[in-house]
Amino acid sequence: MLQNVCSGFATLEKRLYQLVIARLDGDRIGDVLYRDHILDLAKKGIAGFMLRGGARDELQSFIGSLQSLAERPLFIASYAERGIGEQIRETTRFPSPMAFAAAMDVNDPRDLHLLSETFTAIAAEAADCGINMPLIRVGYGSHSSCIPASGPGTALPSPGETRWFSSELAATLRDSGFLALSEGPGNSVPDGMTVVAYDGALSAGLCDSVREPGVAVYMEAGVDILLGPEDPDAVVDELARALLEGRITEERIAFSLARVDVLKSMIGSVGEMKADYPRNERLSRLIAGKAVTLVKGKGRFFPVRDSDNIPLVYAGDTSYFRTSPLRFYVKQASHVGKPLPTHERPVMYLIFTDEPFRGASNTGEEEMESVVRLMRGTTPSVVVSFGSPYVLNRFKEAAVLIAAYDASAEAQDAVFRCITGEMDFQGRLPVTLDMPDKPGR
């Protein structure tokens, strides 16, 4: 029975808090009220925290305080398929799995060694920041469920290979002692809630709000931990009501608590790893450079000798361009909504999405059409996708198409070094695009 599970917890409430991983906004821990709220959750018995944002040094100290305050070890979760730099400042933001797929030849021992170094670096930074539950998105955007069952020396299919790189990262993290969760499509419970599976033993639901009768439905559907609800106190109140009203059985709660208890006992097994942040930054730049793919064209366009005279027109998520290193390499740069006169010179169009698997999700249809119209008045044109390579399908008429798979400063700098001849285009297209002679890898 429930009362016999997890001895040492005096109240039903504390048991139910063990089924919730709350959000932790690292950028708000300097706020006294918010900090006290998070500390209070730790005292109540919360299972752990889903980390987003914040600076490395501050979080290291705060997470240490949370762990010392909690009666049982806390899960500290964070998305990590691009390294924890995707969430935490002063850490390394690595390229996306799709960029890895474009950059790496798994039949080349040198690339396999580089891959191992990079995954180990991601693990070391996670450990350094107190993260013990990395979350890895696996499979988004893949058009095939085919993942090689044998080792990394196996020739990979296209485009399922992108999933393989994510899966390999998750496996490396687990081998290092982390409770790495792999999140993939195809597993869901009512109300569109995504399920994350951990070796068949843990299912963690992603829910952004509490709605009647949502929480009870999720739990009865097999979810063991509710990950990242907006109001964890409201979730616990709803679980308690559902239990008292018979909408959740005591046996179901006890079963989930037993699973959580097993995982809690595994926390702390992460080995000693030293994070070398300067070296990791170099690794990130190296992979970003190897990933840049010349999808179409070249001829007389590259290398560009006079980069000052390349007009840039950018579209999409312009926040990436505000701090872009490209701004320092050219004299003319303008948004697609207010393009500068080009006088029939070749123009480079930059499309920022930073969503490798989801098409032009951050690029409005109107902006896309504006780019197409401008291209028709400019011959020739170069289009660069910083994020999703699928957006290049819209610009088949361009003389040159380049895929960079990320909107990071490292990816932008790598593209410029490629077009100026400082380095070669080395990437291979890891997906299938809807254009002649470009079937993907």
Side-chain angles (χ1 to χ4, degrees):
M1 297 296 288
L2 179 61
Q3 57 266 30
N4 296 321
V5 178
C6 298
S7 60
F9 284 90
T11 65
L12 170 64
E13 183 182 68
K14 275 201 170 182
R15 295 187 183 112
L16 295 180
Y17 270 104
Q18 276 296 304
L19 303 179
V20 180
I21 295 179
R23 299 181 189 182
L24 172 55
D25 185 346
D27 291 319
R28 297 178 61 190
I29 60 177
D31 182 318
V32 175
L33 291 177
Y34 182 77
R35 188 184 184 94
D36 288 346
H37 166 65
I38 296 299
L39 292 171
D40 185 56
L41 288 174
K43 294 175 184 176
K44 289 177 177 178
I46 200 81
F49 293 95
M50 173 70 176
L51 179 61
R52 294 179 184 273
R56 182 182 77 207
D57 290 344
E58 294 178 352
L59 285 168
Q60 286 171 330
S61 175
F62 188 58
I63 290 172
S65 299
L66 288 171
Q67 291 286 20
S68 63
L69 182 65
E71 294 183 18
R72 308 179 75 206
L74 296 168
F75 296 127
I76 305 296
S78 180
Y79 282 109
E81 72 269 13
R82 299 187 185 189
I84 60 171
E86 185 177 4
Q87 303 292 338
I88 302 174
R89 296 188 301 277
E90 301 167 7
T91 62
T92 309
R93 188 180 189 279
F94 286 92
S96 67
M98 188 175 284
F100 275 100
M104 299 291 183
D105 179 357
V106 296
N107 295 306
D108 187 332
R110 294 169 298 180
D111 279 355
L112 286 179
H113 178 70
L114 177 60
L115 192 67
S116 176
E117 281 190 298
T118 303
F119 288 172
T120 301
I122 291 174
E125 291 195 10
D128 188 47
C129 291
I131 293 166
N132 52 38
M133 183 184 275
L135 306 180
I136 309 297
R137 304 178 187 94
V138 175
Y140 285 108
S142 295
H143 298 285
S144 169
S145 59
C146 182
I147 305 175
S150 53
T154 307
L156 299 178
S158 176
E161 62 187 83
T162 300
R163 298 180 60 189
W164 182 83
F165 283 93
S166 297
S167 299
E168 284 295 295
L169 172 58
T172 298
L173 289 165
R174 289 171 188 148
D175 290 344
S176 300
F178 292 89
L179 302 174
L181 302 186
S182 300
E183 174 189 331
N187 297 317
S188 62
V189 293
D191 210 17
M193 182 176 172
T194 305
V195 171
V196 186
Y198 173 72
D199 287 346
L202 175 74
S203 295
L206 305 178
C207 67
D208 293 323
S209 61
V210 179
R211 293 183 300 275
E212 283 282 338
V215 175
V217 172
Y218 298 156
M219 297 300 295
E220 283 299 316
V223 172
D224 298 309
I225 288 186
L226 298 170
L227 178 62
E230 185 174 357
D231 188 343
D233 294 319
V235 168
V236 171
D237 288 344
E238 165 57 17
L239 286 175
R241 285 197 304 271
L243 184 60
L244 294 173
E245 294 168 3
R247 289 183 283 126
I248 304 176
T249 64
E250 290 187 359
E251 290 76 16
R252 180 69 191 86
I253 296 296
F255 186 68
S256 291
L257 285 170
R259 283 181 166 181
V260 172
D261 194 46
V262 170
L263 293 180
K264 288 280 185 176
S265 68
M266 297 168 59
I267 292 179
S269 61
V270 177
E272 290 293 328
M273 289 181 283
K274 182 175 177 57
D276 186 340
Y277 291 96
R279 177 177 174 275
N280 296 349
E281 183 66 29
R282 293 192 293 272
L283 281 174
S284 177
R285 289 183 178 277
L286 175 61
I287 296 165
K290 285 170 62 66
V292 178
T293 305
L294 185 61
V295 176
K296 174 187 176 183
K298 185 175 182 180
R300 62 186 177 85
F301 299 108
F302 305 125
V304 173
R305 300 301 181 189
D306 186 6
S307 60
D308 283 349
N309 288 323
I310 304 175
L312 298 182
V313 177
Y314 56 93
D317 189 342
T318 58
S319 63
Y320 291 104
F321 193 73
R322 296 190 190 105
T323 57
S324 171
L326 298 176
R327 297 173 67 95
F328 304 104
Y329 297 148
V330 300
K331 290 182 178 179
Q332 293 188 53
S334 58
H335 185 262
V336 66
K338 298 179 180 179
L340 296 171
T342 60
H343 304 296
E344 300 301 320
R345 286 179 295 163
V347 176
M348 183 173 294
Y349 297 93
L350 313 177
I351 314 297
F352 293 94
T353 62
D354 200 31
E355 289 283 350
F357 303 126
R358 300 180 185 180
S361 60
N362 291 331
T363 307
E365 184 65 24
E366 186 176 339
E367 286 190 5
M368 300 282 279
E369 288 299 325
S370 295
V371 171
V372 172
R373 286 195 299 270
L374 289 172
M375 281 176 48
R376 291 171 182 157
T378 307
T379 305
S381 299
V382 178
V383 178
V384 186
S385 167
F386 290 106
S388 170
Y390 296 110
V391 301
L392 297 177
N393 286 324
R394 299 290 302 269
F395 310 112
K396 301 175 188 178
E397 297 176 3
V400 179
L401 297 175
I402 298 171
Y405 311 102
D406 281 295
S408 65
E410 291 80 7
Q412 295 180 54
D413 183 69
V415 167
F416 194 81
R417 285 185 287 147
C418 286
I419 67 174
T420 56
E422 184 178 337
M423 59 185 287
D424 294 330
F425 290 94
Q426 302 174 64
R428 297 181 295 170
L429 193 64
V431 297
T432 300
L433 299 184
D434 183 21
M435 58 183 65
D437 303 322
K438 290 297 170 187
R441 196 186 280 193

